[in-house]
Amino acid sequence: MAKKWLLRLLALILAIVLLMCACAYLVDPYMQYRVRDNQYLLNSRLVTPGLIKNYDYDTVLIGSSMIQNTDMGLFREILGGKPLKITTGAISLTEIQKLTEKINEVGKAKHFYICLDQYLFAPEKWNDMDRFPDYLLDDSLRNDYRYLLGYETWMRFIPIDLGLSAAKKLGISLPEKFTRAMSIDALEDWRDDWTFGAEATLSLYSPPPQGTSFDPEATLTRMKTRFDEYISQLDFENGEYTFFFPPYSALYWNYAREAGNAETYLAFKAYAEGKLLECKNVRVFDFQNADFVTDLDNYKDYTHYAPEINDRMLGCFANGKYLVTAPTETEALIVKTDAQVTELLERYPQVPH
Amino acid sequence: MIPQFKDETRRYWNWDNAAKGAYIFAIGLFKKAVIADTLALFADTGFAASSLGFCAAWATALSYTFQVYFDFSGYSDMAVGLGKLYNIDIPFNFRSPYQSESIGVFWRRWHITLGRALQSYIYFPLGGSREGKLKTYRNLLITFLVSGLWHGAAWTFVLWGALHGLFNALERVFSKPLSKVPHWLRVLGTFFIVNALWVLFRADSFANAAMVYRGMADVSNLALTQVGTLAVDGFVGIPVVLNTVYVLGLLALLAFVCFRCENSCHMLARFTCGRKTRIVTAILFCIALVHLSRESVFIYFNF
């Protein structure tokens, strides 16, 4: 009796596990096997690997929170193509490298728009890579059990996604925040979660803490090494690459000056520009040259700009405004940035400096 | 245990024991992976906060109280189950400890093997209760101080142990008046003392413990919705109100389980190879399997 009980238990467990795998495969909340737009609640870190594999695209827009408010409909209208936004919350350079490697492997992308956040290249180590779902990026079926029987799959996304699907079928109208979080184009779009404007930006600003150590030489060497490592994985022979430095506000450079790392980051920018302009099929845009960086009404904090700026950047990709045609010397970048900070401080004398 | 290893009849596969072992292992795995690890999120978030309102502080303390029980007893059940697979009878270490009517009884139901070891190697050699009341109280205090130190090299553990010793001694001092208190009130009182002392056990420092205690005493700041923030895990933005209902509901359910339901020892004693137990075992195992992929902390690295 006990023997029969135990063997039937094992058979029942196997049957339940297979049934769960089948259900997870059919629902597929992370789009690992098929893409379903406007149906599921999207977590960027979990769905991006599936989108890279299964979405229909020929253009990728890769970056941090700086690109998350990009209107992908406008992108199609101005720049054409079939774009896909590749971004996750608090993305790290290591994560960008992993995702870029996968994009290259899949081979669909012919046009690359890559946002270069200087600060991504500075850290020695990022803290959250142990939570990165490597098993979603690879093509191995053997580790798909981590997805099909995963905690987040079963305890979060399947119940929520089935609930959302049922609500849609029943004609229940969902809050706009939910419908936005279900759109691939609007992945990680945070425009409605924050207040933009000088008052909001200044209220969030505080000067850098005193007494923190910063090694300019070691940091610059590390940034250059990590940059070289990143661009070595890009195939400039096959594909068109547009790199851009996002328009941090002049308030950011005021902070960087006080923190003592402005010159290092600008030296890195000069280095990166120089290396990129040597490459074939590459364009470089420097939006940090833009005149609007001194107007804090365009921002929600010292780096994050309003969606209207994302729209303007798309126009610049088309018309070539802020295109860098020759490498800039670090000294020239410092002079330009200092002038922007001076203009900002005249406009907003309440900024501590 | 040793006589069992010498028993030749135990060296052959036994289907009855294997079935019982699988059953109790699945229960233990469910307790650890599903219940304890879910509560760990609440407790960790609460203890990491800079301040807590009344409701959130109590929810944090209760979360840890139930976490440590289900975690520890879950592991013990898994050990019993694995032992059964090998025909070894490992003793249960927990027998509904939160149903205890005194601290003394609590320590006869909680981590039973540790209690026995401390009794044999510390309490009895010191004289136990054979050398008068004052020496008994002294021996209790020393034994529980050692218990505190055994759990970890931190002053919070030492104070936790000392307070358990103190309450144990006070129970003996006031044993007559306490015997007149209704049973349910004694159980509730014991639970609240144990719950309060677990805060010291879990806290990183005295300041951390004080933060939680301040919240537990601050009736002017109920902050009910702060309870919902204990369950935020960063993957899905569930509304705080729903999370609050979830946390409070779960804690209420677990309180019912601890106070009113039978423990693993009773469940194993009543085990039969029927369809119902097979289905329950399979479901518990599969739910636990899903929860295993969640990040889980091995709390015994702390002590």
Side-chain angles (χ1 to χ4, degrees):
Chain A
M1 178 119 167
K3 180 177 178 181
K4 218 190 258 184
W5 185 92
L6 198 50
L7 292 174
R8 284 183 178 177
L9 172 70
L10 292 172
L12 183 57
I13 288 172
L14 187 63
I16 293 174
V17 164
L18 288 173
L19 185 63
M20 288 173 72
C21 288
C23 286
Y25 175 83
L26 287 170
V27 177
D28 194 14
Y30 301 174
M31 304 195 203
Q32 277 287 294
Y33 309 112
R34 63 195 79 81
V35 171
R36 289 190 180 116
D37 203 355
N38 295 305
Q39 275 211 350
Y40 293 155
L41 196 70
L42 305 178
N43 176 293
S44 56
R45 184 162 276 117
L46 298 174
V47 302
T48 295
L51 289 173
I52 292 173
K53 289 189 241 180
N54 303 311
Y55 194 68
D56 182 22
Y57 63 96
D58 62 8
T59 303
V60 289
L61 171 62
I62 305 172
S64 65
S65 48
M66 297 293 146
I67 59 129
Q68 287 167 1
N69 291 341
T70 304
D71 181 339
M72 300 308 281
L74 191 63
F75 190 113
R76 285 181 196 93
E77 204 181 297
I78 294 177
L79 300 169
K82 294 183 281 186
L84 174 64
K85 203 189 322 178
I86 304 288
T87 184
T88 65
I91 200 167
S92 68
L93 179 62
T94 309
E95 201 165 344
I96 290 176
Q97 284 174 292
K98 281 180 182 271
L99 294 172
T100 306
E101 194 183 316
K102 190 64 190 177
I103 292 167
N104 289 337
E105 189 191 306
V106 169
K108 290 183 190 176
K110 300 288 173 259
H111 309 277
F112 294 74
Y113 289 80
I114 300 173
C115 178
L116 291 174
D117 275 294
Q118 285 102 305
Y119 73 85
L120 287 180
F121 294 87
E124 284 191 57
K125 190 181 166 189
W126 208 268
N127 291 330
D128 71 347
M129 289 312 295
D130 52 343
R131 291 195 79 178
F132 184 79
D134 281 300
Y135 62 94
L136 294 175
L137 259 188
D138 64 33
D139 292 323
S140 168
L141 288 174
R142 275 181 307 175
N143 60 15
D144 278 12
Y145 70 89
R146 293 179 65 180
Y147 166 45
L148 299 171
L149 296 173
Y151 174 80
E152 283 77 25
T153 306
W154 277 96
M155 302 307 293
R156 294 283 180 267
F157 290 96
I158 286 183
I160 289 171
D161 292 341
L162 289 178
L164 288 172
S165 295
K168 274 183 104 175
K169 282 203 171 91
L170 293 170
I172 299 170
S173 65
L174 299 165
E176 200 264 328
K177 194 169 175 164
F178 272 107
T179 51
R180 185 155 49 86
M182 293 160 71
S183 161
I184 291 172
D185 271 357
L187 198 62
E188 289 290 339
D189 192 309
W190 45 265
R191 68 185 67 208
D192 293 335
D193 300 333
W194 293 92
T195 305
F196 295 89
E199 197 181 323
T201 305
L202 290 168
S203 71
L204 291 175
Y205 181 78
S206 52
Q210 297 299 309
T212 47
S213 66
F214 176 76
D215 185 341
E217 251 185 69
T219 304
L220 183 59
T221 305
R222 185 168 59 243
M223 291 175 83
K224 286 179 178 177
T225 305
R226 296 211 71 190
F227 179 77
D228 290 343
E229 195 183 276
Y230 177 53
I231 63 169
S232 70
Q233 72 177 134
L234 302 174
D235 182 5
F236 293 115
E237 296 294 321
N238 297 299
E240 288 174 7
Y241 290 81
T242 301
F243 291 87
F244 58 98
F245 294 96
Y248 299 156
S249 75
L251 186 60
Y252 169 78
W253 292 109
N254 179 63
Y255 182 98
R257 261 190 350 190
E258 302 221 315
N261 53 31
E263 287 191 18
T264 305
Y265 283 11
L266 290 169
F268 167 74
K269 188 161 100 167
Y271 175 82
E273 274 182 8
K275 291 288 273 193
L276 288 170
L277 289 172
E278 288 171 4
C279 301
K280 203 174 151 184
N281 298 323
V282 167
R283 296 188 303 166
V284 180
F285 287 80
D286 186 0
F287 293 109
Q288 287 167 12
N289 280 333
D291 46 12
F292 54 74
V293 302
T294 54
D295 182 359
L296 296 182
D297 279 332
N298 293 315
Y299 293 86
K300 73 108 170 143
D301 61 40
Y302 66 6
T303 54
H304 292 91
Y305 38 88
E308 293 74 27
I309 303 297
N310 291 85
D311 297 346
R312 284 173 74 167
M313 287 159 69
L314 293 176
C316 293
F317 292 141
N319 64 31
K321 195 173 180 188
Y322 304 117
L323 180 69
V324 178
T325 51
T328 322
E329 294 292 325
T330 307
E331 204 43 56
L333 290 174
I334 293 171
V335 165
K336 170 82 183 173
T337 309
D338 282 350
Q340 288 172 337
V341 173
T342 303
E343 189 186 324
L344 176 98
L345 295 175
E346 281 168 9
R347 203 164 171 174
Y348 305 100
Q350 66 270 48
V351 171
H353 59 278
Chain B
M1 293 272 294
I2 303 297
Q4 295 186 63
F5 294 126
K6 290 180 178 173
D7 183 352
E8 294 241 353
T9 61
R10 292 179 184 263
R11 291 183 189 182
Y12 303 96
W13 183 259
N14 182 302
W15 287 103
D16 278 320
N17 283 339
K20 286 176 183 171
Y23 174 67
I24 204 70
F25 181 87
I27 290 172
L29 185 64
F30 184 88
K31 281 160 92 171
K32 159 59 186 166
V34 179
I35 301 175
D37 287 351
T38 298
L39 294 168
L41 170 65
F42 306 165
D44 290 349
T45 308
F47 275 93
S50 52
S51 70
L52 291 168
F54 180 78
C55 296
W58 276 95
T60 299
L62 287 168
S63 295
Y64 187 70
T65 294
F66 293 131
Q67 177 201 342
V68 71
Y69 169 61
F70 283 102
D71 198 298
F72 215 166
S73 68
Y75 270 125
S76 296
D77 291 349
M78 284 193 271
V80 168
L82 288 172
K84 271 275 187 237
L85 283 174
Y86 289 95
N87 296 324
I88 300 294
D89 293 319
I90 293 172
F92 278 95
N93 236 343
F94 298 85
R95 289 178 191 266
S96 305
Y98 292 146
Q99 293 178 18
S100 307
E101 68 264 27
S102 68
I103 298 292
V105 171
F106 174 80
W107 281 101
R108 288 196 285 281
R109 294 179 179 225
W110 177 278
H111 201 170
I112 297 167
T113 51
L114 174 67
R116 278 195 208 133
L118 288 170
Q119 190 180 57
S120 303
Y121 295 112
I122 310 289
Y123 186 65
F124 285 155
L126 285 172
S129 56
R130 288 168 298 167
E131 296 180 14
K133 284 185 182 173
L134 285 178
K135 283 200 174 163
T136 302
Y137 306 148
R138 179 204 69 180
N139 296 342
L140 280 169
L141 267 169
I142 292 172
T143 305
F144 278 98
L145 266 171
V146 170
S147 169
L149 273 170
W150 180 90
H151 281 89
W155 289 112
T156 47
F157 290 124
V158 174
L159 182 60
W160 169 83
L163 287 172
H164 265 280
L166 178 66
F167 279 110
N168 219 319
L170 286 172
E171 272 171 5
R172 291 190 184 220
V173 170
F174 298 106
S175 58
K176 270 210 178 121
L178 280 172
S179 65
K180 294 180 180 134
V181 175
H183 175 81
W184 67 269
L185 197 51
R186 292 189 67 185
V187 169
L188 206 56
T190 304
F191 178 76
F192 278 124
I193 291 170
V194 167
N195 176 58
L197 295 181
W198 279 133
V199 171
L200 261 176
F201 190 87
R202 168 60 180 79
D204 300 327
S205 61
F206 287 122
N208 191 216
M211 182 274 293
V212 179
Y213 286 138
R214 261 197 304 275
M216 289 170 82
D218 188 6
V219 290
S220 66
N221 176 25
L222 288 183
L224 184 59
T225 51
Q226 193 186 17
V227 172
T229 63
L230 300 179
V232 171
D233 68 359
F235 273 106
V236 177
I238 296 174
V240 155
V241 169
L242 281 179
N243 264 343
T244 301
V245 170
Y246 163 56
V247 172
L248 293 178
L250 183 61
L251 290 175
L253 176 64
L254 293 174
F256 176 79
V257 167
C258 287
F259 286 114
R260 303 294 295 174
C261 295
E262 56 184 16
N263 58 43
S264 310
C265 186
H266 297 139
M267 288 162 90
L268 185 62
R270 291 195 314 110
F271 171 79
T272 54
C273 291
R275 186 195 290 182
K276 196 172 150 192
T277 47
R278 183 170 60 240
I279 292 172
V280 165
T281 306
I283 290 173
L284 289 180
F285 183 82
C286 291
I287 295 174
L289 192 66
V290 163
H291 282 69
L292 283 176
S293 69
R294 177 174 47 180
E295 280 171 29
S296 155
V297 175
F298 185 64
I299 65 176
Y300 309 112
F301 282 141
N302 298 334
F303 52 90

